[in-house]
Amino acid sequence: MAKTRNCSVCEITLTPPKTKFCSEKCYLQEKQAKAKKRIAMIRRMKPAIKCSMCNKDFFPLRADHT
């Protein structure tokens, strides 16, 4: 008997040809969440700089962000 699997995002039981996500929507949602995590980690590696408009500190994604 085949093992039943659930969607990684919404926990719906998957039909046999699908292995991780139930739909394109769930796949894109997971992909976006992973990208946000990766960008946040990159931002933490850079030193904080002051905003040229409001003088608040922020962590830039690139060196040319002001």
Side-chain angles (χ1 to χ4, degrees):
M1 190 163 159
K3 181 181 175 184
T4 59
R5 294 181 180 219
N6 294 334
C7 176
S8 298
V9 178
C10 65
E11 299 297 322
I12 290 176
T13 303
L14 299 174
T15 55
K18 297 177 181 174
T19 59
K20 193 166 183 179
F21 303 106
C22 65
S23 65
E24 185 75 16
K25 181 180 175 184
C26 285
Y27 166 73
L28 292 175
Q29 187 175 354
E30 180 77 13
K31 185 177 176 181
Q32 184 180 26
K34 284 183 179 181
K36 282 183 180 183
K37 269 186 180 176
R38 184 176 49 81
I39 288 171
M41 192 175 355
I42 291 170
R43 284 184 193 270
R44 280 186 258 132
M45 288 185 216
K46 308 263 184 201
I49 61 173
K50 291 210 180 275
C51 174
S52 60
M53 300 295 282
C54 65
N55 273 345
K56 289 185 181 178
D57 286 341
F58 73 99
F59 294 95
L61 185 57
R62 299 187 323 235
D64 63 342
H65 283 173
T66 59

